[in-house]
Amino acid sequence: MNSGEKVFVYNAKLKFEKTIDITGFENMFLVEDTRVFGVRHVAAGPELVELDTEKGDVKATYGSIPAFNGFFVDGRNGKLLYSGPSKLYEYDLATCESMEVLNWVDVNVNGNCISAFKVLKDGRFALLYDNYEDDPEVIFLTKVSRSQIPEKEVLTLASFSGDDTTLQQKIIQFNRNSEKYKVELKTYYEYGMASGAEDFDDAMTLLHMDIVSGEAPDLIYLKELDMFNLADSG
């Protein structure tokens, strides 16, 4: 049991055994049914922490986690999965490196509306999902070959950040109802994932370069952009 400042350890018969003092500990979860993990904030940024419930102490810490505005779950192939507002990542405990698995909008899911997530034994993803407009539901995602997906004309929508829940919801509603078009969301910056202002500026520069190049997106979401500067530039 986690209070955010302490973790209380009980045995299988619910008898209290010990307390682990760990300030700012949150998003506690199990790996392989026995290993206890969570996230805490330190001066260098958020870090993943594994607890030693036998000794009542921190067993190991892991850096370079994908973000701090989502949550981890026990993954596949000995790795963890991290669900962020717009994307799903795979995190390798051995190397502390992350790899993007999918963009939630591409599978008609709003990442901001996922409250629980589990990998099933058959490889499917099960999501507890509530978009606050429809009834809560459990969504199952199954990996299929691209040839099984109906072909649609793709429209690219560029957004500086990908965590805008209203934008995601509108795209998902459109894609579910359109038989001809599919909107794909291209993002440049995710809050909670970059290291500082330099990454912010680099992301904005990349967006502007795409606009003026021959690879401009079909649609642009103007939130967080200087639309007057874009207009003056033609």
Side-chain angles (χ1 to χ4, degrees), residues 63-107:
S64 301
I65 67 174
F68 53 83
N69 52 357
F71 57 90
F72 282 96
V73 296
D74 194 2
R76 52 190 182 172
N77 304 321
K79 299 179 175 64
L80 305 182
L81 288 171
Y82 180 85
S83 177
S86 64
K87 296 178 181 178
L88 178 69
Y89 296 87
E90 190 172 71
Y91 181 81
D92 192 329
L93 288 169
T95 63
C96 295
E97 293 180 348
S98 301
M99 180 184 72
E100 182 180 326
V101 176
L102 57 80
N103 186 313
W104 285 124
V105 174
D106 286 346
V107 293

Side-chain angles (χ1 to χ4, degrees), residues 191-204:
Y191 290 99
M193 301 193 69
S195 59
E198 183 177 346
D199 288 337
F200 184 97
D201 294 339
D202 288 346
M204 189 64 74

Side-chain angles (χ1 to χ4, degrees), residues 114-156:
I114 301 171
S115 57
F117 174 42
K118 185 174 179 62
V119 182
L120 305 181
K121 291 182 178 180
D122 60 8
R124 290 181 300 161
F125 296 159
L127 317 174
L128 184 58
Y129 188 77
D130 186 0
N131 63 11
Y132 305 103
E133 296 180 5
D134 307 305
D135 291 334
E137 57 186 344
V138 176
I139 294 177
F140 297 95
L141 298 180
T142 304
K143 187 175 182 179
V144 298
S145 65
R146 188 170 293 275
S147 61
Q148 294 179 254
I149 302 173
E151 287 192 16
K152 296 182 180 181
E153 185 175 342
V154 174
L155 301 174
T156 302

Side-chain angles (χ1 to χ4, degrees), residues 1-10 19-28 39 51:
M1 295 178 63
N2 176 33
S3 73
E5 302 295 323
K6 299 177 184 292
V7 173
F8 304 95
V9 182
Y10 294 79
T19 299
I20 303 174
D21 293 320
I22 179 165
T23 302
F25 193 66
E26 56 189 27
N27 298 334
M28 190 168 71
V39 176
L51 298 182

Side-chain angles (χ1 to χ4, degrees), residues 158-160 186 188 203-222 225-227 229-231 233-234:
S159 173
F160 180 67
K186 182 176 182 179
Y188 296 80
M204 189 64 74
T205 299
L206 183 58
L207 172 57
H208 288 159
M209 289 176 63
D210 278 357
I211 292 174
V212 301
S213 72
E215 302 296 325
D218 300 295
L219 307 160
I220 299 176
Y221 188 52
L222 292 174
L225 300 182
D226 185 347
M227 67 181 74
N229 181 39
L230 293 175
S233 302

